[in-house]
């Protein structure tokens, strides 16, 4: 596992705040945030991969697993070459991946998952509204459609939730996602600081 990315997963339903918490965590030295949502949204819409992504996303569906992993790994490799992600010094904070059990299996080739932060919010309507507002703010009108948002929740419950069963319960930390970003981050840090300490001590 020495050549694998030492990884923390941010896990939870659409709109729960994975991206927000990932960005905050990335401001702390030793953490590198990788958001598959951002990677996909920044793709050239006219490229072959970009067209494929937008065809799926406008329906609230996931890209094929092998395509998702390939695009993500190309991005991580580019960040490594640029020196933005230092594999042996940084913990990889992964947001939005894996989204299916098969993706989790494919990801095993690259990542050693040390901790899963499971962000939990029982109020689905609040998540629904948060997603709608975010899509409108970012001028992604298709993503703001109620049927697309509902489809995303259905896909999450059917394909993504089972991912938690793939990993040992001992590495999963449930965090209440309701509250201020700082309050949620404090709970996340309680779970990840011991992981970073251990990684820091083991780093060459």
């Amino acid at each position: 596992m020495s050549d694998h990315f030492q990884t923390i997963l941010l896990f939870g339903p659409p709109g729960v705040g994975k991206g927000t918490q990932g960005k905050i965590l990335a401001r702390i030295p030793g953490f590198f945030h990788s958001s598959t949502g951002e990677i996909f949204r920044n793709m050239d819409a006219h490229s072959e991969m970009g067209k494929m992504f937008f065809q799926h996303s406008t329906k609230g569906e996931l890209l094929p697993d092998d395509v998702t992993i390939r695009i993500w790994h190309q991005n991580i490799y580019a960040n490594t070459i640029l020196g933005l992600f230092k594999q042996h010094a940084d913990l990889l904070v992964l947001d939005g991946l894996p989204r299916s059990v098969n993706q989790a299996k494919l990801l095993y080739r690259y990542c050693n998952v040390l901790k899963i932060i499971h962000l939990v919010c029982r109020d689905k309507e609040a998540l629904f509204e948060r997603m709608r507002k975010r899509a409108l703010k970012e001028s992604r009108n298709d993503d703001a459609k109620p049927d697309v948002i509902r489809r995303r929740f259905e896909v999450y419950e059917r394909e993504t939730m089972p991912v938690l069963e793939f990993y040992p319960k001992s590495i999963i930390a449930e965090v209440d996602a309701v509250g201020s970003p700082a309050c949620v981050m404090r709970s996340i840090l309680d779970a990840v600081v011991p992981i970073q300490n251990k990684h820091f001590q083991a780093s060459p």
Side-chain angles (χ1 to χ4, degrees):
M1 285 288 188
S2 59
D3 291 331
H4 287 56
F5 306 135
Q6 304 306 303
T7 306
I8 293 168
L9 299 184
L10 291 177
F11 193 88
V16 80
K18 299 184 295 294
T20 297
Q21 295 302 324
K23 287 174 184 174
I24 297 172
L25 201 54
R27 288 183 167 273
I28 302 173
F31 292 101
F32 180 83
H33 176 222
S34 173
S35 165
T36 51
E38 284 194 6
I39 292 169
F40 290 143
R41 285 192 291 272
N42 290 329
M43 288 175 66
D44 180 359
H46 301 291
S47 68
E48 182 183 349
M49 290 294 187
K51 287 177 183 176
M52 186 184 299
F53 165 67
F54 287 107
Q55 284 172 358
H56 283 76
S57 67
T58 52
K59 299 174 187 175
E61 298 174 351
L62 302 179
L63 273 174
D65 294 333
D66 59 330
V67 175
T68 297
I69 297 295
R70 187 162 78 248
I71 292 171
W72 167 79
H73 187 252
Q74 286 173 352
N75 180 270
I76 282 290
Y77 180 73
N79 278 287
T80 303
I81 294 300
L82 291 170
L84 299 175
F85 172 48
K86 300 171 181 64
Q87 178 180 348
H88 296 292
D90 296 337
L91 287 172
L92 176 64
V93 179
L94 198 48
D95 149 25
L97 196 71
R99 293 190 180 185
S100 69
V101 172
N102 189 49
Q103 284 184 11
K105 292 175 180 177
L106 293 171
L107 200 63
Y108 187 77
R109 177 181 175 186
Y110 305 106
C111 295
N112 178 27
V113 177
L114 304 172
K115 200 75 178 178
I116 298 173
I117 304 299
H118 181 200
L119 293 165
V120 178
C121 177
R122 313 293 179 193
D123 187 350
K124 189 181 288 187
E125 287 304 312
L127 296 179
F128 188 100
E129 185 60 18
R130 188 186 292 182
M131 286 186 68
R132 189 186 71 81
K133 287 181 178 178
R134 182 178 67 187
L136 291 173
K137 182 180 179 181
E138 297 176 0
S139 300
R140 294 186 284 118
N141 294 329
D142 284 344
D143 291 350
K145 293 177 180 177
D147 57 330
V148 172
I149 295 174
R150 287 194 191 94
R151 174 74 174 152
R152 289 215 167 121
F153 277 106
E154 289 170 3
V155 169
Y156 173 79
E157 289 173 3
R158 184 181 68 247
E159 298 188 33
T160 307
M161 272 297 287
V163 169
L164 285 177
E165 300 296 323
F166 177 79
Y167 294 103
K169 284 188 173 61
S170 59
I171 68 169
I172 300 172
E174 269 202 7
V175 170
D176 187 353
V178 178
S180 70
C183 180
V184 177
M185 177 50 62
R186 182 172 59 187
S187 298
I188 292 175
L189 287 174
D190 285 342
V192 302
V193 165
I195 303 293
Q196 192 191 39
N197 275 338
K198 188 174 181 180
H199 180 67
F200 182 76
Q201 291 166 7
S203 296

